[in-house]
Amino acid sequence: MNSTGVSTVVVIEDDPDIRELIRSVLSRGGIVVHTAENGLDGVALVTSIHPDLVTLDIGLPDIDGYEVARRLRLAPGTADIQILMLSARTHELDPVRGRDAGAELHLSKPFRPRELRAQVDELLARL
């Protein structure tokens, strides 16, 4: 949370409809939202603005979400940012792989907007 008490989130999602849904749900709650449509742009954006939280799709077109999370965890300025991983994959090990890569929580797609908001609020409350 910045000095004005407003939280900032970066949404890294390649599907434009899902990206817009997440942006809309979070911005309606007063969160400042920035978006990126692939992993490399997402890492650059997170590195430049240092958000409070990142929502991160696993299936990105360039580098996958696990690699994005690992890169964020290894960089000194982004190592402590909260990460919520999102995935349409249904493999039971996806949440474990996400945590191993550095994500705090995992949310399966399709998700309900209220469920997304609750997960984001839970992570932001930890700050």
Side-chain angles (χ1 to χ4, degrees), residues 46-62:
V46 171
T47 302
S48 70
I49 66 169
H50 302 281
D52 300 302
L53 182 139
V54 173
T55 68
L56 177 57
D57 183 25
I58 292 175
L60 296 168
D62 51 359

Side-chain angles (χ1 to χ4, degrees), residues 67-114:
E67 180 60 22
V68 172
R70 281 189 284 275
R71 289 182 185 198
L72 294 176
R73 288 295 176 239
L74 291 173
T78 61
D80 61 344
I81 293 171
Q82 301 288 306
I83 299 174
L84 171 59
M85 244 182 214
L86 305 172
S87 176
R89 300 176 187 180
T90 58
H91 195 278
E92 64 187 37
L93 291 179
D94 284 337
V96 174
R97 288 185 67 204
R99 279 192 303 278
D100 288 347
E104 280 74 25
L105 292 175
H106 180 276
L107 185 60
S108 295
K109 296 177 190 175
F111 53 82
R112 291 182 175 89
R114 284 186 187 178

